[in-house]
Amino acid sequence: QIESKSHFEGQIDGPDATNIKKNFFHMTTLFAINHGCTVACLDLANARLGSTGVWQSGILYGSYTLSAFYGSSYVVMKYGSRNGLVLGMGMSASYVTSFFL
C-alpha cells in the first residue's frame, strides 16, 4: 500500500503563521508600489522622449532579462533571497529616482 503525504503536513499555526502572513503582505505591497513606479517612469520616458525613450526601455528590459538569466543565482547565493530582493528593489528605485534629477 502506498502512503500518501499531504503537502500541508507540518503547517505553521499560531503567531508564527500570522507574522509570516503579515511579512508576506508587506513585501508584496512594497514590491507592487516599486513595480508600479518603475512602469510609470517607463511609460513617461516613452511618451516624452519618443524613440529615444523606446530604445531606453528596450535596453532596460534587455538588462533585466540578462541579469535574471545570469546574475540572479549568484546574488541569491551571495546575499540570500531576502537581501537579493531588497537589492533588486533598490536598483529599480534608483532608476525611478533618476527621473527626478
Side-chain angles (χ1 to χ4, degrees), residues 26-39 89 96:
H26 188 151
M27 186 272 304
T28 55
T29 301
L30 291 176
F31 184 83
I33 291 168
N34 181 283
H35 187 69
C37 291
T38 303
V39 171
M89 287 177 66
V96 173

Side-chain angles (χ1 to χ4, degrees), residues 56-71 91 95:
Q56 175 189 0
S57 298
I59 291 169
L60 180 69
Y61 277 121
S63 65
Y64 279 170
T65 302
L66 291 175
S67 67
F69 280 145
Y70 300 113
M91 291 172 73
Y95 171 76

Side-chain angles (χ1 to χ4, degrees), residues 10-79:
Q11 255 183 328
I12 299 172
D13 292 324
D16 286 340
T18 303
N19 287 337
I20 290 171
K21 191 182 285 189
K22 280 183 188 177
N23 286 338
F24 178 77
F25 286 129
H26 188 151
M27 186 272 304
T28 55
T29 301
L30 291 176
F31 184 83
I33 291 168
N34 181 283
H35 187 69
C37 291
T38 303
V39 171
C41 287
L42 280 170
D43 191 37
L44 179 65
N46 291 343
R48 299 203 69 198
L49 300 175
S51 67
T52 304
V54 172
W55 276 99
Q56 175 189 0
S57 298
I59 291 169
L60 180 69
Y61 277 121
S63 65
Y64 279 170
T65 302
L66 291 175
S67 67
F69 280 145
Y70 300 113
S72 59
S73 297
Y74 174 76
V75 170
V76 171
M77 281 190 312
K78 184 163 177 74
Y79 299 111

